[in-house]
């Protein structure tokens, strides 16, 4: 399979999103989009259009789009996935669905045998995924899951590396477990991380059909949980 020449990376899983363009392995440019998941819907396309114009690139010249699929913001993930699907439908660009935690892990140096990528799931819980260093890269051992903070910490071992959006949220607990926190600059996913991870997947033939591309939701949205609670209350009356 031919390696993509131009890759666009879309990262909209968190409050601060970004877009990036690679030519082969080389970064041509990256821009941040908005300061909240809700703003991604208003700014993603305009920022991406401005970035492409600044690089004298036409949208149809992009032959590969890598998009972050989560875990992350419900609203933000939907915006990024819809943009990627539309691009694939309209231009025929190849797509790769990149796990947000996979992108963060791929950017980490291989300084330890095991790494954990975490994000705040609220309610005293974390979204967490475990990675092991194998054959010069980080390999996922499981899929992202929800765990209590205490149960996750109990599963770690001294010297394990921790990264992800919530890596700095519980410094005392992490320090007590003798974990190594990755540099802050590597905690949050960026479009460049997503683009590089997606490019590696594309070269391995791990492409995603735009018809099946979907966000990775681990927990139902607050609105859905509220409706479930209201329905259950109605049944109990």
């Amino acid at each position: 399979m031919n390696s993509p020449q131009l890759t666009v990376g879309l990262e909209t899983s968190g409050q601060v999103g970004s877009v990036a363009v690679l030519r082969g392995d080389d970064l041509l440019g990256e821009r941040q989009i908005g300061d909240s998941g809700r703003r991604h819907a208003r700014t993603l396309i305009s920022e991406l259009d401005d970035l492409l114009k600044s690089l004298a690139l036409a949208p149809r010249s992009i032959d590969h789009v890598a998009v972050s699929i989560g875990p992350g913001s419900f609203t933000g993930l939907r915006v990024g996935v819809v943009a990627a699907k539309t691009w694939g439908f309209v231009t025929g660009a190849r797509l790769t669905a990149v796990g947000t935690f996979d992108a963060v892990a791929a950017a980490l140096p291989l300084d330890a045998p095991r790494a954990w990528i975490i994000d705040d799931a609220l309610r005293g819980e974390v979204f967490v995924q475990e990675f092991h260093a194998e054959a010069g890269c980080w390999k996922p051992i499981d899929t992202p899951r929800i765990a209590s903070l205490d149960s996750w910490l109990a599963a770690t071992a001294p010297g394990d590396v921790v990264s992800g959006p919530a890596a700095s949220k519980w410094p005392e607990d992490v320090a007590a477990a003798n974990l190594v926190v990755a540099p802050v600059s590597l905690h949050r996913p960026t479009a460049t991380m997503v683009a590089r991870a997606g490019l590696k997947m594309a070269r391995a033939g791990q492409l995603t059909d735009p018809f099946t591309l979907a966000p990775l939701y681990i927990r139902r949205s607050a609105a859905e949980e509220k409706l479930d609670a209201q329905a259950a209350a109605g049944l109990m009356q």
Side-chain angles (χ1 to χ4, degrees):
M1 179 173 293
N2 293 332
S3 177
Q5 298 301 306
L6 290 168
T7 295
V8 158
L10 305 177
E11 201 326 277
T12 58
S13 68
Q15 287 191 333
V16 178
S18 54
V19 294
V21 180
L22 303 180
R23 175 176 281 119
D25 294 301
D26 298 327
L27 176 64
L28 298 183
E30 182 179 53
R31 289 193 180 183
Q32 286 191 350
I33 52 174
D35 58 4
S36 72
R38 295 187 182 279
R39 281 198 62 195
H40 296 342
R42 300 197 299 269
T43 59
L44 172 61
I45 300 303
S46 62
E47 289 290 353
L48 184 53
D49 183 57
D50 287 346
L51 177 58
L52 292 177
K53 287 178 178 177
S54 73
L55 299 171
L57 294 174
R60 288 189 177 274
S61 67
I62 304 300
D63 57 339
H64 172 225
V65 178
V67 60
S68 173
I69 60 168
S73 158
F74 282 86
T75 301
L77 292 174
R78 283 195 294 268
V79 170
V81 166
V82 168
K85 288 168 74 80
T86 302
W87 203 319
F89 288 138
V90 174
T91 71
R94 291 173 284 179
L95 306 180
T96 49
V98 180
T100 306
F101 287 2
D102 293 274
V104 174
L108 293 176
L110 293 163
D111 294 337
R114 182 163 65 171
W116 303 86
I117 309 302
I118 64 170
D119 199 357
D120 187 5
L122 306 177
R123 311 173 190 176
E125 296 176 323
V126 293
F127 296 117
V128 60
Q129 189 172 13
E130 179 182 355
F131 292 82
H132 287 188
E134 297 180 12
C137 63
W138 290 106
K139 300 287 187 181
I141 299 303
D142 54 9
T143 57
R145 58 187 174 86
I146 294 177
S148 69
L149 177 62
D150 290 341
S151 66
W152 164 62
L153 288 169
T156 65
D160 286 355
V161 173
V162 181
S163 190
S168 299
K169 187 172 179 63
W170 302 281
E172 294 180 357
D173 297 282
V174 168
N178 293 311
L179 305 179
V180 178
V181 180
V184 174
S185 61
L186 300 179
H187 290 183
R188 294 191 176 278
T190 66
T192 300
M193 293 179 183
V194 172
R196 294 194 188 285
L199 180 59
K200 183 176 180 179
M201 293 171 64
R203 286 170 172 168
Q206 299 172 10
L207 300 173
T208 303
D209 187 325
F211 287 98
T212 61
L213 176 62
L216 174 63
Y217 296 141
I218 301 177
R219 169 185 284 158
R220 292 166 65 80
S221 70
E224 290 172 325
E225 291 182 343
K226 183 177 180 180
L227 286 174
D228 288 345
Q230 291 174 341
L235 291 174
M236 294 174 63
Q237 293 177 355

